[in-house]
Amino acid sequence: MTGQQPPHSETFATAPPQALSVTQLNHQIRFLLETHYGSIAVEGEISNLAKPASGHIYFTLKDSKAQIRVAWFKSSVGRYIPKHGDSVIVSGRLSLYEPRGDYQLIASSVRPAGEGALQQAFLALKEKLELEGLFDPGKKQPLPSRITRIGVITSSTGAAIQDILTVLKRRFPAIEVLIYPVAVQGENAAPQICKAITLANEHASADVLIVGRGGGSLEDLWPFNEESVARAIAASQIPVVSAVGHEIDFTIADFVADVRAPTPSAAAELLSPDQQEYMQTLDQYESILWRAMGKILQEKSMIVEHLHKRLRHPGQLLTEQNRRLDNLQEKLARAIRQSLYQSNQMLILQHQRLMSHTPDETLNQLKKELNRTHNSLLQAIRLIIQKRSEALRANARELNAVSPLATLERGYSITLSQQQTAITSLSQVEVGDVIETRLHQGRVLSKVEKKLNG
């Protein structure tokens, strides 16, 4: 007893003042059962098994003389799913289903009744083989670094082979799979597994073997705890990966095998490279190559740019000569205008003097003097123009030797920035800049709307 008082404890007096209701009685009986009995284990045979959609399991546990109802709720149900006629050990607590007054056992776990003997046999064989050195890590073979063919020893209709094939198809479908179909539970399972291991070694057709099956009870997995199977795995010249049951399941085969995988899917993952990793590696190599090429191109571009700065482009020389010619033309025009202005001023002055004295002879002399002066001035101007033109033609001949004008005549052009420098790279212009394109005949002004690489 826990020391707790049941509800309506006053009804347990020697002379109850009034009768109990059925609800009160069932409630008190339930309280007594749950507080008097702790966790208990009951062995019996399953009958009247029911598995409703809720996920709970209900059955009757019986022996030759009595029976008790059992409720195994979904939250406690484990990997082992009982079936009608199984001999099991049910652990749990006693209770009462009050609406019907049914006395029942609330199960916390259900396990096959024969697992205790199997567990003892498992531990005995494990100790024996361990003493013989079959579990010695130094005797285990390493897995091949490159696997092209995998032999799978399992049931051809079980979930394990489907899981393995699904993983291999996803990760690396180029790996060939040889299936050695065997029984994986029952009396014939161990001999078939041993025969398949021997056959695979005789043919030497696989790089590695997977020996295993899906999950189950200790009894279901027992063929992989047989001594004959353990010795067949140990004698295999082909590396063996055991993949028996779920991650928490351990068999003798797991200890003897060269590598243990927690599940068949994990075995396939272990033995197959990930094709996505291969693709990522190739992408990385491609990136490294592109970076190396970019670095080389950048270095070469810096060398070219350095040489370009040292070498003056003929177009730059032509531009400078054109500027000089423009300056000379402007100076000549100013000189002519200045000379004409001075001559005009002198003419006005003489005309004023003439008008004030009006001597015809003096006027004639002055006109002649004016004509001579005018002719001398024109001759001087022509001489200056002739000398300047000859110098210009000489400069033009020199420039033509290095000028791209001949190239311009063939349809090419030179593009200049607003600063009148030749544009050779996108970095010299921005969207919205006005640029000048010099053709063989004439010039074109453009506005940059878009920059395109390549």
Side-chain angles (χ1 to χ4, degrees):
M1 299 292 288
T2 61
Q4 296 178 347
Q5 293 297 322
H8 310 292
S9 59
E10 67 278 1
T11 61
F12 288 102
T14 303
Q18 59 185 11
L20 294 174
S21 68
V22 175
T23 300
Q24 290 174 326
L25 177 61
N26 284 350
H27 188 67
Q28 292 180 11
I29 292 173
R30 176 187 175 188
F31 181 84
L32 289 173
L33 284 173
E34 290 181 349
T35 55
H36 183 75
Y37 289 93
S39 178
I40 60 173
V42 183
E43 182 175 351
E45 181 182 320
I46 291 178
S47 64
N48 300 323
L49 182 69
K51 300 177 182 177
S54 62
H56 308 317
I57 298 176
Y58 302 98
F59 58 88
T60 299
L61 188 66
K62 66 179 184 177
D63 57 21
S64 60
K65 297 181 180 180
Q67 65 181 26
I68 183 174
R69 292 183 181 274
V70 179
W72 195 13
F73 296 123
K74 179 180 179 181
S75 59
S76 301
V77 174
R79 295 196 318 275
Y80 170 67
I81 303 300
K83 58 184 181 296
H84 181 79
D86 281 358
S87 179
V88 297
I89 297 175
V90 179
S91 297
R93 59 184 176 82
L94 288 175
S95 184
L96 182 79
Y97 184 57
E98 294 184 32
R100 289 201 302 263
D102 287 341
Y103 154 72
Q104 62 182 357
L105 179 62
I106 307 299
S108 59
S109 68
V110 178
R111 68 182 188 275
E115 281 196 354
L118 292 178
Q119 184 68 17
Q120 292 299 321
F122 169 84
L123 295 175
L125 180 60
K126 179 175 179 292
E127 182 179 2
K128 174 184 175 181
L129 297 181
E130 187 172 12
L131 290 174
E132 291 184 23
L134 266 66
F135 304 164
D136 185 1
K139 295 182 179 181
K140 296 185 183 297
Q141 304 178 78
L143 296 179
S145 58
R146 185 172 181 270
I147 297 174
T148 59
R149 187 179 290 111
I150 298 175
V152 182
I153 300 174
T154 189
S155 170
S156 60
T157 59
I161 186 62
Q162 297 303 322
D163 292 343
I164 291 172
L165 294 177
T166 299
V167 171
L168 293 178
K169 182 178 180 181
R170 170 175 55 82
R171 285 177 60 82
F172 207 77
I175 291 181
E176 184 179 352
V177 180
L178 300 177
I179 301 175
Y180 297 87
V182 296
V184 292
Q185 68 183 65
E187 295 180 358
N188 297 325
Q192 291 184 20
I193 294 171
C194 294
K195 184 177 179 180
I197 294 173
T198 302
L199 183 63
N201 277 269
E202 288 175 354
H203 293 168
S205 55
D207 300 316
V208 66
L209 296 176
I210 297 177
V211 179
R213 58 155 289 162
S217 66
L218 180 58
E219 185 177 2
D220 293 337
L221 304 181
W222 192 253
F224 297 91
N225 290 319
E226 294 284 357
E227 183 174 356
S228 58
V229 173
R231 295 194 182 279
I233 293 174
S236 175
Q237 298 301 310
I238 301 174
V240 176
V241 176
S242 68
V244 182
H246 300 291
E247 187 170 358
I248 61 174
D249 296 321
F250 276 90
T251 64
I252 298 296
D254 293 326
F255 296 106
V256 180
D258 298 296
V259 175
R260 175 194 180 256
T263 63
S265 297
E269 293 268 358
L270 174 67
L271 298 179
S272 59
D274 189 349
Q275 61 182 350
Q276 296 300 324
E277 292 180 359
Y278 275 25
M279 297 301 296
Q280 291 176 3
T281 301
L282 290 176
D283 290 342
Q284 291 174 359
Y285 286 154
E286 182 181 16
S287 299
I288 292 172
L289 179 60
W290 277 111
R291 286 197 298 270
M293 291 175 61
K295 184 177 180 181
I296 293 173
L297 290 175
Q298 185 179 13
E299 292 175 353
K300 298 301 182 183
S301 298
M302 293 175 63
I303 294 174
V304 171
E305 185 177 358
H306 177 68
L307 294 175
H308 178 266
K309 290 179 179 179
R310 295 179 59 188
L311 178 66
R312 299 186 68 187
H313 195 276
Q316 185 179 1
L317 296 175
L318 179 63
T319 300
E320 293 178 358
Q321 294 297 332
N322 284 337
R323 288 178 180 175
R324 290 183 60 190
L325 178 60
D326 291 341
N327 291 334
L328 290 174
Q329 288 177 342
E330 186 177 352
K331 288 181 180 180
L332 179 60
R334 284 201 302 269
I336 292 174
R337 287 195 298 271
Q338 183 67 23
S339 178
L340 290 175
Y341 176 77
Q342 291 176 355
S343 297
N344 187 48
Q345 293 297 322
M346 186 178 294
L347 180 60
I348 293 173
L349 180 61
Q350 295 296 334
H351 181 264
Q352 290 175 349
R353 289 179 179 178
L354 178 62
M355 292 302 292
S356 59
H357 297 89
T358 64
D360 294 338
E361 185 65 24
T362 304
L363 182 58
N364 291 333
Q365 291 296 327
L366 291 175
K367 286 182 178 180
K368 291 178 181 180
E369 184 66 25
L370 178 61
N371 289 334
R372 284 195 299 271
T373 303
H374 180 70
N375 291 335
S376 298
L377 180 60
L378 290 177
Q379 184 176 1
I381 292 172
R382 291 191 189 98
L383 182 59
I384 291 173
I385 293 174
Q386 181 179 0
K387 289 181 179 180
R388 297 296 186 185
S389 296
E390 290 177 356
L392 181 60
R393 284 193 292 272
N395 289 334
R397 285 194 298 272
E398 291 179 4
L399 289 174
N400 192 52
V402 294
S403 171
L405 292 178
T407 304
L408 297 179
E409 292 178 1
R410 294 198 299 271
Y412 292 90
S413 63
I414 298 174
T415 303
L416 305 174
S417 67
Q418 292 175 325
Q419 292 76 29
Q420 291 298 305
T421 59
I423 298 173
T424 61
S425 171
L426 283 176
S427 62
Q428 293 179 255
V429 296
E430 300 296 337
V431 174
D433 287 357
V434 176
I435 58 174
E436 176 183 332
T437 303
R438 182 160 297 177
L439 309 173
H440 171 57
Q441 293 183 345
R443 294 177 292 176
V444 175
L445 295 179
S446 306
K447 184 176 181 180
V448 178
E449 293 184 354
K450 190 176 183 181
K451 296 171 65 177
L452 299 175
N453 289 316

